Amino acid sequence: MNRPNIVILGAGYGGIMTAVNLQKKISPEEANITLVNKHDYHYQTTWLHENAAGTLHHDRTRISIKDVIDFNKIKFIQDTVESIDPEKKVVKLEDGELQYDYLVIGLGFESATFGIEGLKEHAFSIQNINSARLIRDHIEYNFAQYNIEEDGQDLITIIVGGAGFTGIEFVAEVANRVPELCQEYDVPREKVRIINVEAGPTALAGFDPELVEYAMNRLEEKGVEFKLGTMIKKVNEEGIVVEKDEEQEEIKSKNVIWAAGVTGNSIVQESGFETNRGRVPVRGDLRTPDYDDVFVVGDCAVIMNPETERPYPPTAQIAIQMADTVAHNLKQMLSGSDELEGFEPNIQGTVASLGHTDAIGVVFDDKKLFGRSASVMKKAIDNRYLMKLGGLGLLLKKGKLDMYH
Amino acid sequence: MNRPNIVILGAGYGGIMTAVNLQKKISPEEANITLVNKHDYHYQTTWLHENAAGTLHHDRTRISIKDVIDFNKIKFIQDTVESIDPEKKVVKLEDGELQYDYLVIGLGFESATFGIEGLKEHAFSIQNINSARLIRDHIEYNFAQYNIEEDGQDLITIIVGGAGFTGIEFVAEVANRVPELCQEYDVPREKVRIINVEAGPTALAGFDPELVEYAMNRLEEKGVEFKLGTMIKKVNEEGIVVEKDEEQEEIKSKNVIWAAGVTGNSIVQESGFETNRGRVPVRGDLRTPDYDDVFVVGDCAVIMNPETERPYPPTAQIAIQMADTVAHNLKQMLSGSDELEGFEPNIQGTVASLGHTDAIGVVFDDKKLFGRSASVMKKAIDNRYLMKLGGLGLLLKKGKLDMYH
């Protein structure tokens, strides 16, 4: 009874899909499989911006691990990973240690603050269920204070740092949420400011200019103010200081949300793995450069796009596909084969949501989508994932089934 | 066309009912009637504790003034009263002045802090829609932070100062709300503390001991901790310091709500009217001691109970009855009669709610009620008021019609 131990760290897209794949491919006689996660639920990181804006309840976004993992096949430990020792093959948890023969690291992202003064202390970032819920409640609480305070403009000024994919998706939800907040808290809509600050020259960098223009127009119609080519220099208790063309401006706000950059979980780098800007430059078979028994999936890994010679952006889509490769390769290794599969991302499309019924995106390489059809595509992608993760039952429970309205 | 000006200040129970009565009794040819209120809505002060706990939405508690007042008969001014000059017969508003011939003061209560250090700065009090909504959101926001903070016990400790009528009613709603908060914010119920601090030797002073015991037992079953005979000595950012039997104890809490005392609006005293502990000791006909043309209704007035030789507690019930007397007397004065009616309170019952389906109370002088029957009585009293204020339409819109469950 000397079965090898497979340990999966993290139940994000990459980790949970690796576990789901393994429980289909590998029998309990072949290996002991353990999944470690901080919470007893998985969540869809790509929906967190809706929870943070308050347009979707966080219970829709999270999925009980017991609903998708068969605990007869996979042992689940709810604990927090503190460090990994790849030489001794040991994972140190807050409440214990785990010995592994094969390790899958899926520890996700953390916010990158690029050294901006005060950002970490005074800005929120959308990282997980707890922080998304806190942002929702923080904004609500500030709106609730508006009619108590003498001058409460800063309470109803919402600043979003970053007009990339996440920044735009969040701003769009906020723009949809603000009219509801105004009604709930007796705040005149015209007093509320939603400001999106982006250091680069354009919103949604990398998207087709026509799509970017559509998105910005739609958001401006809903009252979003864009400040492009504008750096956030400082964040403090009062608000932010921005700089454009060497001119500084102070904007008072109690609601500063940073949505501009993420990097791999710092535990990976601190555990001594080779990293590039916080992510492990994995081999083609998704193992780390130095360790044959350690795979990395999702946001902790970086892979290059040979066509553009730049890294693929870390997305849910790629993390889910990586989980297929990792599960396949683990099965091969358990069988004593050294024929491991190389990972090849298959980018089927990229759609950014602009609220419940609006979106922009590209599918099938170069087909541009706007508005309702893009929104339907976005929901279809999300629903397909739920189907893959937990079958029809999960899709019916958590899916976005109101696709056409 | 030299019609006298009747000005009513405040649209609380006393003010709005005076206006409703006058629009029935007095024709536009007899007098100009003006109602001044800070907001464009009336609210049921006796329901605010439910809004503050989050068990009832504040829109149920408030009633648009236009829904009960006929603006062809009564002029409504939304403004804030700053002071009254009873010699010049002028009311100073934030945005103007009003000349009156007859004045009705119904400016309501404000919180009495009894000189407790830090109470005003660091404790919340249930005063109006804005402050009730803020308390709800404040508690929610603290619960949302619990899973972010290392040690967040103070975030989920709720302290209510005062176990009188309002204190107990509020504590009961909080006890009902906490399980919902625990679910929403992933907080273990057993970690949450609800502490009710009362300086006097008993909760619900003045109520029959059997009723008090029933109420305390029911609330203790729901996890409320009572600290009777315990003074709040100090409130600060960290929580409160209490003293019992000369021993001091510090309790850390970010949720301190003061529900222990109210006094009349300080504008009345500051305007030079004779007051007794902030309330005007009105004559039998509800006019001030010094001015024949100024009536006071509701919480700004104090009347003595000749049987007990103590003042009647200021309640909605008494305010509403006072409005009948004031309207009658104004009609008499307009007709040139000096036969004014004396006010006689008709206390039909006193019922304290212990949540949605539970209550205690006394009706018909000495009939004690517990549980569901008391709760039904409480809702019947509230519904009767809505009927009186705005007829069947208002009752159907805002009433507590789910009386039996």
Side-chain angles (χ1 to χ4, degrees):
Chain A
M1 293 297 284
N2 204 1
R3 291 180 298 216
N5 289 320
I6 300 175
V7 172
I8 304 165
L9 303 181
Y13 290 106
I16 196 123
M17 280 311 303
T18 299
V20 165
N21 291 334
L22 288 182
Q23 79 183 356
K24 287 178 192 156
K25 279 181 198 289
I26 293 177
S27 72
E29 286 69 41
E30 288 173 276
N32 301 316
I33 307 173
T34 305
L35 173 65
V36 181
N37 196 52
K38 204 172 184 169
H39 308 109
D40 61 0
Y41 54 82
H42 161 71
Y43 53 84
Q44 298 213 61
T45 311
T46 60
W47 292 9
L48 288 175
H49 65 283
E50 297 174 61
N51 309 146
T55 48
L56 183 81
H57 194 272
H58 51 266
D59 283 340
R60 281 287 299 283
T61 296
R62 62 179 164 183
I63 294 154
S64 278
I65 287 173
K66 68 173 164 39
D67 285 354
V68 289
I69 297 296
D70 180 348
F71 289 167
N72 293 318
K73 291 182 174 166
I74 294 183
K75 184 178 172 192
F76 173 63
I77 297 177
Q78 187 179 344
D79 205 340
T80 302
V81 175
E82 293 198 328
S83 63
I84 301 159
D85 183 337
E87 298 296 339
K88 292 187 182 155
K89 301 190 181 189
V90 167
V91 177
K92 199 163 170 297
L93 307 177
E94 217 169 76
D95 294 324
E97 281 192 354
L98 283 176
Q99 185 76 41
Y100 66 79
D101 297 296
Y102 302 102
L103 185 68
V104 180
I105 300 175
L107 289 170
F109 67 94
E110 56 188 50
S111 207
T113 55
F114 306 128
I116 296 172
E117 186 187 332
L119 189 65
K120 199 170 172 178
E121 297 75 20
H122 301 292
F124 289 85
S125 62
I126 303 169
Q127 307 214 39
N128 50 42
I129 294 284
N130 288 338
S131 69
R133 181 168 55 194
L134 187 66
I135 291 167
R136 177 196 71 180
D137 278 32
H138 180 82
I139 294 172
E140 287 176 355
Y141 186 50
N142 283 339
F143 271 68
Q145 285 176 85
Y146 179 74
N147 280 308
I148 305 280
E149 298 296 323
E150 280 289 307
D151 176 19
Q153 184 57 50
D154 57 345
L155 294 166
I156 56 168
T157 297
I158 301 170
I159 295 176
V160 178
F165 199 94
T166 308
I168 288 292
E169 285 202 324
F170 179 59
V171 162
E173 296 296 327
V174 168
N176 283 351
R177 174 78 169 127
V178 157
E180 287 172 26
L181 289 170
C182 288
Q183 188 169 6
E184 177 69 15
Y185 297 103
D186 303 317
V187 174
R189 172 63 188 90
E190 66 276 12
K191 301 266 189 192
V192 177
R193 292 184 72 188
I194 308 170
I195 305 168
N196 192 187
V197 182
E198 168 59 47
T202 173
L204 289 170
F207 274 81
D208 182 281
E210 197 186 354
L211 295 173
V212 175
E213 202 192 327
Y214 175 88
M216 288 183 66
N217 284 342
R218 292 305 297 264
L219 294 176
E220 279 174 342
E221 279 165 21
K222 290 182 179 173
V224 175
E225 305 167 47
F226 286 99
K227 289 187 180 286
L228 303 180
T230 304
M231 299 277 288
I232 295 182
K233 303 299 286 183
K234 193 161 67 178
V235 187
N236 58 30
E237 279 189 5
E238 312 256 289
I240 64 171
V241 176
V242 295
E243 187 176 297
K244 183 177 184 169
D245 304 334
E246 293 180 16
E247 295 230 347
Q248 294 208 343
E249 183 194 358
E250 191 186 343
I251 310 173
K252 295 200 170 177
S253 166
K254 297 284 189 202
N255 310 286
V256 181
I257 296 100
W258 178 244
V262 296
T263 181
N265 192 319
S266 53
I267 288 172
V268 179
Q269 188 171 354
E270 287 160 9
S271 295
F273 292 99
E274 181 185 334
T275 55
N276 180 355
R277 297 186 178 187
R279 303 177 198 271
V280 179
V282 286
R283 306 182 222 173
D285 55 25
L286 300 181
R287 290 186 292 180
T288 67
D290 300 326
Y291 298 96
D292 287 345
D293 44 19
V294 182
F295 291 86
V296 189
V297 287
D299 290 352
C300 292
V302 58
I303 48 166
M304 297 303 287
N305 183 338
E307 282 177 34
T308 61
E309 292 185 340
R310 297 187 56 189
Y312 281 106
T315 62
Q317 190 176 189
I318 285 183
I320 294 161
Q321 292 176 7
M322 283 175 159
D324 287 340
T325 299
V326 169
H328 174 86
N329 289 346
L330 276 168
K331 173 78 180 172
Q332 289 293 96
M333 289 169 85
L334 284 179
S335 319
S337 163
D338 56 1
E339 284 187 20
L340 303 193
E341 179 181 282
F343 174 64
E344 285 198 23
N346 171 19
I347 310 295
Q348 295 162 320
T350 307
V351 186
S353 156
L354 299 174
H356 185 48
T357 56
D358 200 1
I360 53 142
V362 178
V363 287
F364 311 126
D365 273 350
D366 59 355
K367 169 102 176 89
K368 285 183 260 185
L369 291 179
F370 301 85
R372 184 141 313 201
S373 57
S375 174
V376 168
M377 179 59 73
K378 178 87 178 174
K379 289 176 187 170
I381 292 168
D382 289 341
N383 288 341
R384 190 163 50 191
Y385 168 63
L386 289 171
M387 190 75 190
K388 193 173 159 81
L389 176 64
L392 189 61
L394 187 66
L395 172 61
L396 291 175
K397 208 161 142 186
K398 305 278 181 175
K400 292 194 169 169
L401 303 171
D402 50 346
M403 289 181 66
Y404 295 95
H405 45 83
Chain B
M1 292 297 284
N2 204 1
R3 292 180 295 216
N5 290 320
I6 300 175
V7 172
I8 305 166
L9 304 182
Y13 291 105
I16 195 122
M17 280 311 303
T18 300
V20 165
N21 292 334
L22 288 182
Q23 79 183 355
K24 288 177 192 156
K25 280 181 196 291
I26 294 176
S27 73
E29 286 69 40
E30 286 174 276
N32 302 316
I33 308 173
T34 304
L35 173 65
V36 181
N37 196 52
K38 203 171 185 169
H39 308 110
D40 61 0
Y41 54 83
H42 161 72
Y43 53 85
Q44 298 213 63
T45 311
T46 61
W47 292 9
L48 287 176
H49 65 283
E50 297 174 60
N51 310 145
T55 49
L56 183 81
H57 194 271
H58 51 265
D59 283 340
R60 282 287 298 284
T61 295
R62 62 179 164 184
I63 294 153
S64 278
I65 287 173
K66 67 173 165 36
D67 286 354
V68 289
I69 297 296
D70 180 348
F71 290 167
N72 293 317
K73 291 181 174 168
I74 295 183
K75 183 179 173 191
F76 173 63
I77 297 178
Q78 186 179 344
D79 205 339
T80 302
V81 175
E82 293 199 328
S83 64
I84 302 159
D85 184 337
E87 298 297 338
K88 292 187 182 156
K89 302 191 180 190
V90 167
V91 177
K92 200 165 169 295
L93 307 176
E94 216 169 77
D95 294 325
E97 281 193 354
L98 282 175
Q99 186 77 41
Y100 68 78
D101 297 295
Y102 302 101
L103 185 69
V104 181
I105 300 175
L107 289 171
F109 68 94
E110 55 188 48
S111 208
T113 56
F114 305 127
I116 297 172
E117 185 187 333
L119 190 65
K120 199 171 171 178
E121 296 77 18
H122 300 292
F124 290 85
S125 63
I126 303 170
Q127 308 214 41
N128 51 42
I129 294 284
N130 288 337
S131 69
R133 181 167 56 193
L134 187 66
I135 291 167
R136 178 195 70 179
D137 278 31
H138 181 82
I139 294 173
E140 287 176 354
Y141 186 50
N142 283 339
F143 271 69
Q145 286 177 84
Y146 179 75
N147 279 308
I148 305 279
E149 296 297 322
E150 279 289 308
D151 176 18
Q153 184 56 50
D154 58 343
L155 294 166
I156 55 168
T157 298
I158 301 171
I159 295 176
V160 178
F165 198 95
T166 307
I168 289 290
E169 285 201 325
F170 178 58
V171 162
E173 296 296 330
V174 168
N176 283 350
R177 175 78 168 126
V178 158
E180 287 172 25
L181 290 170
C182 288
Q183 189 171 4
E184 177 69 13
Y185 297 103
D186 303 317
V187 175
R189 172 62 188 88
E190 67 276 10
K191 300 265 188 194
V192 177
R193 293 184 71 188
I194 308 169
I195 304 168
N196 192 187
V197 183
E198 167 60 46
T202 174
L204 289 169
F207 274 82
D208 181 281
E210 197 186 354
L211 295 174
V212 175
E213 202 192 328
Y214 174 88
M216 287 183 68
N217 284 341
R218 292 306 298 265
L219 294 176
E220 279 174 342
E221 280 164 20
K222 290 182 179 174
V224 174
E225 305 167 46
F226 286 100
K227 288 186 180 288
L228 303 180
T230 304
M231 299 275 289
I232 296 181
K233 303 299 286 182
K234 193 160 68 177
V235 187
N236 58 31
E237 279 189 5
E238 312 256 289
I240 64 171
V241 176
V242 295
E243 186 176 298
K244 183 177 185 170
D245 304 333
E246 295 182 13
E247 294 228 349
Q248 294 208 343
E249 183 195 357
E250 191 187 343
I251 310 173
K252 295 201 171 179
S253 166
K254 296 285 188 200
N255 309 286
V256 181
I257 297 100
W258 179 243
V262 296
T263 182
N265 192 320
S266 54
I267 289 171
V268 179
Q269 188 170 353
E270 287 160 11
S271 295
F273 291 99
E274 182 185 334
T275 55
N276 181 356
R277 297 187 178 187
R279 303 176 198 271
V280 179
V282 285
R283 306 180 222 173
D285 56 24
L286 299 182
R287 291 186 292 180
T288 67
D290 300 327
Y291 299 95
D292 287 346
D293 43 19
V294 181
F295 291 87
V296 188
V297 287
D299 291 352
C300 291
V302 60
I303 48 165
M304 298 303 287
N305 183 339
E307 283 178 35
T308 61
E309 292 186 339
R310 298 185 57 187
Y312 282 105
T315 63
Q317 190 176 189
I318 286 183
I320 295 161
Q321 292 175 8
M322 283 174 158
D324 287 341
T325 299
V326 169
H328 174 88
N329 288 347
L330 275 169
K331 173 79 180 174
Q332 289 294 96
M333 289 169 85
L334 285 177
S335 319
S337 162
D338 57 2
E339 285 187 18
L340 303 192
E341 179 181 283
F343 175 63
E344 286 197 21
N346 171 20
I347 311 293
Q348 294 162 320
T350 307
V351 186
S353 156
L354 300 174
H356 185 48
T357 57
D358 200 0
I360 54 143
V362 179
V363 287
F364 310 127
D365 272 350
D366 60 355
K367 169 102 178 90
K368 284 184 261 183
L369 290 179
F370 301 85
R372 184 143 312 201
S373 58
S375 173
V376 168
M377 179 61 72
K378 177 87 178 175
K379 289 175 187 171
I381 293 169
D382 288 341
N383 289 341
R384 190 163 50 193
Y385 168 64
L386 288 170
M387 191 75 190
K388 195 172 158 83
L389 176 64
L392 190 60
L394 187 65
L395 172 60
L396 291 175
K397 208 161 142 185
K398 305 277 181 174
K400 293 194 169 169
L401 303 171
D402 49 348
M403 289 181 65
Y404 295 94
H405 46 82

